[in-house]
Amino acid sequence: MVSKEEREKWELYLEKRSRLFRYGVENGLIYPFEVDESFMNHLREVYCYGVPASILLLCENWSNGFCYDQSFLIPFGFPDDDFSIVHADIDGIAFNPEYVEKYRCASEQKIENERYAEHSFVERTRADGSVWVYDSSTGFVFSKELFYEIEHPKIRRIINKEEVIKSPLYNQLNSNTKDTDKYILPVVIPSIELSLQNGQRFHQEALEKELLLFKSMIDYDSICQEVYQDMKVMGLLR
């Protein structure tokens, strides 16, 4: 069971995060991915699981909890800028009672191996020298100073731009086209639409817009019909 002190630590964190988040939004130090049209335009040209990165990064069910993979999508949104992917323990995970309780009886070795408090995010350095944190779990961009004040990251690893670009995952994503995985769209698209039906905390309207734009561009209904006919020919449907 979580102790009173641990519960209070979590509540203090939530209060501080809420206060600083509000301050950041009001002062232009925090903003959602979708307000940067250049960023979104670049992401619309990158495909993963058959859909553009602009959709995956706005969909809570496909982003929250998948920060390591999604951190490789984000840099495609600013190809000319320097960046790094950072792995670090953050307060938002370390103080969460769900994880505190889960690992209470675990050995120190198990906790270290599973790195339960670790998160992955992207730090982008713009031409003016300012550094911004892109957090795929929330779909928001933070000034680095403010993000560090909220989360107090304890850095475990930094992957620089050169390393990322040379990685197999980045190169696979870079080679994908809208046709690479189009036949899994009748499975992927409904799961994204379910996020819209259930309601997300953020990006609801932006995700709906991106989804409609993509479905119109690829003639989604015809792809579904094509997949249906192929499955009938293979005897998978009657």
Side-chain angles (χ1 to χ4, degrees), residues 3 6 15 46-47 55-56 67-68 70 77 88 104 112 120 135 140 142 151 156 172 178 189 193 229 232:
S3 70
E6 289 166 335
E15 188 280 328
V46 181
Y47 292 87
I55 290 176
L56 290 182
C67 58
Y68 295 98
Q70 306 300 48
R104 179 172 306 287
E112 175 62 23
S120 178
D135 179 22
F140 280 84
F142 300 72
E151 297 293 357
R156 290 179 175 268
Q172 177 61 56
K178 68 178 185 299
I189 294 295
E193 290 174 332
Q229 292 298 331
K232 285 188 67 177

Side-chain angles (χ1 to χ4, degrees), residues 72-231:
F72 277 83
L73 288 175
I74 289 171
F76 284 99
F78 36 83
D80 298 326
D81 287 351
D82 191 22
F83 67 86
S84 58
I85 294 177
V86 180
H87 295 172
D89 294 346
I90 61 171
D91 288 354
I93 300 176
F95 296 160
N96 189 321
E98 177 183 348
Y99 298 107
V100 171
E101 180 66 21
K102 178 179 178 180
Y103 286 91
R104 179 172 306 287
C105 298
S107 66
E108 290 186 9
Q109 186 62 47
K110 177 179 172 66
I111 291 173
E112 175 62 23
N113 288 342
E114 296 195 13
R115 297 186 172 185
Y116 88 94
E118 189 175 280
H119 183 48
S120 178
F121 52 89
V122 179
E123 292 186 0
R124 172 192 185 184
T125 302
R126 291 181 172 165
D128 63 3
S130 63
V131 182
W132 297 80
V133 171
Y134 286 68
D135 179 22
S136 65
S137 292
T138 61
F140 280 84
V141 183
F142 300 72
S143 74
K144 180 177 178 177
E145 288 185 2
L146 191 55
F147 184 83
Y148 275 57
E149 187 173 352
I150 295 171
E151 297 293 357
H152 301 104
K154 297 177 180 62
I155 296 174
R156 290 179 175 268
R157 184 185 181 193
I158 296 176
I159 310 171
N160 63 35
K161 181 176 182 177
E162 183 179 1
E163 291 177 282
V164 172
I165 291 175
K166 289 181 179 179
S167 70
L169 177 55
Y170 185 91
N171 280 281
Q172 177 61 56
L173 291 168
N174 199 32
S175 66
N176 287 346
T177 70
K178 68 178 185 299
D179 296 319
T180 302
D181 295 311
K182 73 175 184 177
Y183 293 112
I184 66 169
L185 289 176
V187 175
V188 175
I189 294 295
S191 74
I192 296 172
E193 290 174 332
L194 187 60
S195 293
L196 288 169
Q197 293 169 14
N198 293 338
Q200 300 193 139
R201 293 176 301 167
F202 309 111
H203 319 295
Q204 184 85 3
E205 291 184 9
L207 176 57
E208 184 175 6
K209 171 189 170 184
E210 290 297 319
L211 197 55
L212 289 173
L213 180 67
F214 177 60
K215 288 173 69 175
S216 174
M217 181 187 76
I218 62 170
D219 193 1
Y220 174 66
D221 290 340
S222 69
I223 290 177
C224 289
Q225 185 62 29
E226 183 180 345
V227 172
Y228 175 77
Q229 292 298 331
D230 287 347
M231 293 178 72

Side-chain angles (χ1 to χ4, degrees), residues 41-67:
N41 277 335
H42 284 298
L43 293 179
R44 290 178 186 125
E45 301 300 321
V46 181
Y47 292 87
C48 184
Y49 304 114
V51 299
S54 58
I55 290 176
L56 290 182
L57 289 170
L58 294 180
C59 181
E60 186 172 344
N61 287 349
W62 284 80
S63 289
N64 193 8
F66 303 98
C67 58

